[in-house]
Amino acid sequence: MSSCKSDGNSSETPTDKTLKEILTQYVNNTVRITYHNLADASIELEKACETLQSNKTQTNVDSAAHAWVKARKYWESSEAFLFGPATIRGIDPHIDSWPLDKSQLDALLGNATIMANFNADYATNNLNGGLLGFHALEYVLFRDGASRSVSDISDNELKYAVGVAGDLKLQSVTLEADWSGEDNLSAEKQSLLKDKEVTVSENWGDQIMDAGESGSQYKTQKEAILEILQAEKGCRGIADEVGNTKITDPVNSGNVLDVESWYSWNSKYDFQNNIRGVLNSCDGGVDYDNKRDTKLSIISYVKSLDLAEGTKLETAITDAIGEDGKTGIGTIPYPFRNHLNKADTQKAIDACNNLVDVIDEVCVLIQK
Amino acid sequence: MRYVFLYRNNKDYEIMKKLFYLLIMFTIAGHLSSCSDKDAGGSPSKPTTDSLAEEWYTGGKLGTSFNETSSAYEESTPVVNNNATYLAEFNHGETFFENVFVTGGSSAGATRTGLGPVYVRNSCISCHPNYGHGKRMERYRADDFGNGYLLVVTDSADNYISSLTAMPQTKAVAPYLPPIEESGIHIVWKDYTDEFGNKFSDGETYSLIYPEVTIDRDAFNVPMPSYYKVRLEATIGIYGTGLVDAIPDDSIRAQFTKESAYSTNVKIGKDITEVDGTTHPARFTYGLTRGTLQNGPGANAMWNITNVTRSNRTYNYITAAYATAMSQNKDVQKALGEDE
């Protein structure tokens, strides 16, 4: 994996500089900000669950459900860059597995010995993906696409939710630390990692930004760009997964249990946020807080190589999202769980596959 | 200073037939390319697939993909990509490999249900992160991501203890108990000095470590003999399996014949009869007990690990001793609603 630079090539070309700016923009204004917001939202979610536990009101259920949706948006958009820490640490299956293991959950909630001392530490160290993360919390907080009736939620379920939310917070803060460096976290987050003995040894943001330089595992800047675009845990991978697994599998089986986020009916937004993560990755950052700079985007870079191909990539992404409801995922009637058929989903599947094909074309172009 | 782990490797890493069969014939062109002028200035000299000599296609033109990303080992190859049916099967198989299995119950009917009643892991990816090998662990917990260890519990003659399965389970769906309680498993990493004093001829030193594993007697929920010993096996990566599968039987047999001239103990390529009655040269598992990916136990690890049954495999991976122990455990029977 070592770099192969010639000793005589010390001058920086404009292309090198541009790519470094693009990679820096990507790291700071797509990945780091998303994980920062995810961590903050997860902290809010844990607090909302704690508030609900201490004061069981419908308003507090609604607040916790709202906090779940907020955190969920950041997580789903982050699935466009699962390569690196989220994959290496196994955080993706840890916090986002479905279906929920309802039988084991029932057994857990019915176990007085375990529930007497259930907390986030127990969840982190003893439970697995089928009982953790977003879909475990979704089960406690939602039914039929709305926040659950407070009278239906048991005390043990709330205790469980607080523990699972605490584990989700830890995983989210860990991701932020892995990409931004532990020293760049708030004191509260640093304290959490220290308390939970989480070791952060690498700064993945620096790995990407320093591509082609000593110390980075990416021996060229283009290799880093390709990681972002082409990786199974990058843009191509999530576009493929949305079209050919997340949508196709439940359509083929006709089983609502195969649908991601079916308690909250958040599935369609999950899918769109997945592809919005692709847009954030390719178009120079997230589209809020004035963070996006399209001049420093992968799309602009691709356009500099081939204007038509760059435009094609841009169009393929926005078509797949379908903000106006006329294309791609936007055409799936709400809620997805009630429309598990080809007629209602084929445009979305086709748009995702088109995006995969366009990314493949772009990757060939970049490698020439 | 270099560190080397001493493991006895996993002998039973076969996963799912289709996933294996369709997956993983690949090469990383960039890693094989030498430094050249084209490498300067951050511009890679990666060859494009339409301009390569045949030698670049390690897995053949339809079996070699060109991908330098961190998830390259997970990619499908052209033979899959060019066929919509294969690609759909690949994607479906990928979900089986990368996602967790759950118990079922009120989730019955969903994919990836049926976990248990006892199980080794709830997912393939748990032991094979990035489709590779497991990580070094300081403890044995089935739910620790990347723990690719399997327990090998044997008698003094290295025979598996008959009351345990060859891959002993440490997880159970309530009210059942696991054959081995994880809290009673202890791993201690120790230093090892080899016959060279851990020093290369040029004076550079290195360190060797190995795991010492013990299991408390009271951690077993099945009857155990007076003597038993424990070792760890560690998973290996599953990439490359397709390449091994692609070697024609005759080529392996020819190599077996050639090597047998020098040794009577050659196992690779020796013909074995599989459970379906067909004969093939042995090529899979450390014990060289499988000739194809499709046949017999070779396709069973996934089902052993999760203990998920299927229409043509309607039994659980448990021993009679375990079943008897659970049938005689009053707490388990009470929880199941059975009287004495």
Side-chain angles (χ1 to χ4, degrees):
Chain A
M1 300 295 280
S2 59
S3 176
C4 292
K5 284 201 170 182
S6 146
D7 290 342
N9 184 48
S10 58
S11 62
E12 190 179 54
T13 67
T15 301
D16 287 337
K17 185 180 178 184
T18 303
L19 285 177
K20 187 170 181 73
E21 288 174 337
I22 289 171
L23 290 170
T24 301
Q25 178 71 12
Y26 167 79
V27 168
N28 287 330
N29 294 304
T30 297
V31 182
R32 284 177 172 167
I33 191 171
T34 301
Y35 280 137
H36 172 80
N37 288 334
L38 171 65
D40 284 356
S42 298
I43 291 170
E44 288 177 33
L45 177 56
E46 184 196 36
K47 287 177 179 172
C49 290
E50 289 171 339
T51 301
L52 174 59
Q53 185 187 28
S54 60
N55 185 15
K56 279 180 71 173
T57 66
Q58 191 60 47
T59 300
N60 286 339
V61 178
D62 296 344
S63 296
H66 179 74
W68 182 92
V69 171
K70 182 178 178 182
R72 183 77 183 156
K73 177 182 177 182
Y74 295 125
W75 168 253
E76 287 300 293
S77 64
S78 81
E79 289 197 324
F81 38 87
L82 288 174
F83 60 84
T87 293
I88 292 170
R89 289 186 187 269
I91 290 176
D92 177 28
H94 187 88
I95 66 172
D96 194 26
S97 286
W98 80 93
L100 178 75
D101 199 333
K102 181 69 168 44
S103 297
Q104 294 225 59
L105 175 57
D106 290 341
L108 173 70
L109 295 173
N111 188 319
T113 304
I114 293 176
M115 290 311 298
N117 299 302
F118 189 88
N119 58 20
D121 286 341
Y122 184 89
T124 300
N125 293 308
N126 295 283
L127 301 186
N128 59 51
L131 291 171
L132 289 171
F134 282 102
H135 300 301
L137 291 168
E138 181 196 11
Y139 170 77
V140 174
L141 299 174
F142 292 89
R143 285 295 183 278
D144 299 327
S147 54
R148 201 171 163 197
S149 172
V150 67
S151 59
D152 292 341
I153 305 177
S154 71
D155 290 346
N156 264 1
E157 284 181 324
L158 288 177
K159 195 170 192 178
Y160 167 73
V162 169
V164 170
D167 173 68
L168 177 62
K169 175 184 72 175
L170 176 62
Q171 308 306 324
S172 302
V173 171
T174 300
L175 284 170
E176 184 185 356
D178 281 337
W179 274 90
S180 298
E182 195 169 1
D183 293 343
N184 296 314
L185 267 57
S186 68
E188 178 189 7
K189 291 172 179 173
Q190 288 187 42
S191 176
L192 174 71
L193 296 180
K194 185 178 180 182
D195 182 46
K196 303 302 180 188
E197 299 180 344
V198 175
T199 302
V200 179
S201 56
E202 288 191 274
N203 184 322
W204 271 81
D206 289 351
Q207 289 268 351
I208 294 285
M209 291 191 298
D210 296 341
E213 300 172 20
S214 174
S216 172
Q217 70 167 300
Y218 299 99
K219 69 180 188 295
T220 67
Q221 293 167 320
K222 286 186 178 179
E223 197 173 287
I225 296 280
L226 290 171
E227 176 86 313
I228 296 164
L229 285 175
Q230 192 180 22
E232 178 73 10
K233 304 301 181 187
C235 293
R236 184 191 190 281
I238 192 60
D240 184 32
E241 184 181 352
V242 171
N244 296 309
T245 301
K246 289 188 175 190
I247 298 174
T248 295
D249 275 1
V251 166
N252 285 343
S253 72
N255 191 330
V256 71
L257 295 172
D258 294 337
V259 175
E260 185 177 26
S261 300
W262 71 274
Y263 292 110
S264 61
W265 295 7
N266 207 57
S267 315
K268 181 176 175 178
Y269 304 122
D270 281 355
F271 306 154
Q272 288 182 308
N273 285 329
N274 286 154
I275 308 302
R276 288 185 184 109
V278 176
L279 182 62
N280 296 343
S281 298
C282 294
D283 208 19
V286 298
D287 63 347
Y288 47 83
D289 297 341
N290 294 315
K291 297 297 184 183
R292 182 171 289 173
D293 185 345
T294 56
K295 296 191 300 299
L296 297 178
S297 69
I298 290 175
I299 288 175
S300 71
Y301 167 62
V302 176
K303 284 181 176 176
S304 75
L305 301 175
D306 183 327
L307 180 61
E309 200 64 37
T311 304
K312 196 172 177 182
L313 175 61
E314 193 172 29
T315 304
I317 298 171
T318 53
D319 280 357
I321 297 170
E323 297 283 8
D324 60 3
K326 295 178 180 175
T327 62
I329 300 163
T331 64
I332 300 176
Y334 178 86
F336 170 61
R337 57 152 288 164
N338 291 344
H339 298 273
L340 303 181
N341 62 78
K342 293 273 187 186
D344 286 333
T345 57
Q346 196 59 52
K347 284 183 180 175
I349 293 169
D350 290 345
C352 290
N353 283 329
N354 177 59
L355 177 54
V356 169
D357 290 342
V358 172
I359 290 174
D360 284 343
E361 289 176 14
V362 166
C363 289
V364 170
L365 175 67
I366 290 172
Q367 291 173 87
K368 280 184 178 175
Chain B
M1 188 74 79
R2 277 174 268 180
Y3 289 89
V4 180
F5 299 154
L6 297 176
Y7 292 135
R8 179 179 166 194
N9 283 318
N10 172 26
K11 71 173 188 289
D12 205 354
Y13 63 91
E14 308 89 343
I15 309 296
M16 189 172 66
K17 179 180 69 178
K18 283 181 180 173
L19 184 64
F20 265 158
Y21 203 62
L22 297 176
L23 197 64
I24 311 170
M25 295 180 184
F26 116 110
T27 185
I28 303 177
H31 292 179
L32 299 176
S33 61
S34 60
C35 297
S36 69
D37 291 345
K38 290 180 179 177
D39 286 318
S43 178
S45 59
K46 182 179 174 63
T48 56
T49 54
D50 56 0
S51 61
L52 290 176
E54 188 174 348
E55 66 193 56
W56 286 95
Y57 297 93
T58 314
K61 288 203 171 185
L62 292 178
T64 306
S65 66
F66 294 86
N67 186 310
E68 295 181 63
T69 70
S70 62
S71 44
Y73 290 114
E74 305 173 28
E75 303 294 337
S76 49
T77 53
V79 69
V80 174
N81 297 338
N82 296 340
N83 182 305
T85 302
Y86 287 174
L87 187 58
E89 290 184 352
F90 181 91
N91 286 327
H92 193 54
E94 198 170 57
T95 67
F96 273 59
F97 192 90
E98 296 183 5
N99 294 300
V100 300
F101 281 75
V102 299
T103 54
S106 53
S107 299
T111 56
R112 303 189 306 279
T113 56
L115 185 72
V118 289
Y119 56 96
V120 180
R121 298 287 190 282
N122 67 354
S123 72
C124 302
I125 199 80
S126 178
C127 288
H128 298 278
N130 266 89
Y131 292 62
H133 58 76
K135 303 174 183 177
R136 179 191 168 192
M137 290 283 159
E138 299 288 340
R139 65 177 191 173
Y140 186 99
R141 292 290 184 277
D143 287 338
D144 285 351
F145 185 79
N147 171 19
Y149 296 159
L150 289 174
L151 299 168
V152 182
V153 187
T154 61
D155 62 18
S156 57
D158 287 338
N159 298 309
Y160 290 118
I161 301 296
S162 61
S163 57
L164 295 166
T165 49
M167 293 185 283
Q169 299 100 343
T170 61
K171 302 292 288 185
V173 177
Y176 297 102
L177 303 174
I180 304 175
E181 301 282 356
E182 291 182 335
S183 58
I185 303 170
H186 309 286
I187 299 175
V188 178
W189 287 89
K190 294 190 168 183
D191 295 325
Y192 179 76
T193 303
D194 66 11
E195 65 268 36
F196 305 107
N198 293 4
K199 186 181 290 186
F200 291 109
S201 57
D202 64 2
E204 185 182 1
T205 61
Y206 52 89
S207 289
L208 298 170
I209 55 176
Y210 69 98
E212 186 174 274
V213 191
T214 56
I215 302 179
D216 300 335
R217 179 165 290 278
D218 61 7
F220 292 96
N221 288 313
V222 293
M224 290 294 288
S226 58
Y227 177 84
Y228 60 87
K229 59 182 180 180
V230 186
R231 296 195 303 274
L232 290 180
E233 292 182 345
T235 51
I236 62 173
I238 67 165
Y239 30 70
T241 310
L243 280 176
V244 176
D245 193 49
I247 302 172
D249 281 7
D250 289 348
S251 297
I252 294 184
R253 287 193 179 108
Q255 187 66 21
F256 171 77
T257 302
K258 186 177 176 182
E259 293 183 13
S260 293
Y262 304 99
S263 171
T264 57
N265 198 32
V266 178
K267 292 183 177 178
I268 298 177
K270 187 176 183 179
D271 272 343
I272 56 172
T273 301
E274 309 223 53
V275 294
D276 68 351
T278 60
T279 299
H280 299 276
R283 71 178 80 189
F284 293 115
T285 80
Y286 283 99
L288 290 164
T289 55
R290 328 253 201 265
T292 68
L293 288 174
Q294 291 86 353
N295 281 338
N300 282 350
M302 177 178 176
W303 312 101
N304 286 347
I305 295 287
T306 57
N307 232 333
V308 172
T309 57
R310 60 188 193 215
S311 58
N312 61 347
R313 183 189 152 117
T314 55
Y315 58 88
N316 280 130
Y317 183 56
I318 58 175
T319 64
Y322 173 79
T324 301
M326 292 302 101
S327 72
Q328 295 174 348
N329 185 299
K330 292 180 180 177
D331 292 336
V332 171
Q333 292 304 312
K334 183 180 178 183
L336 291 171
E338 299 291 337
D339 296 325
E340 283 189 63

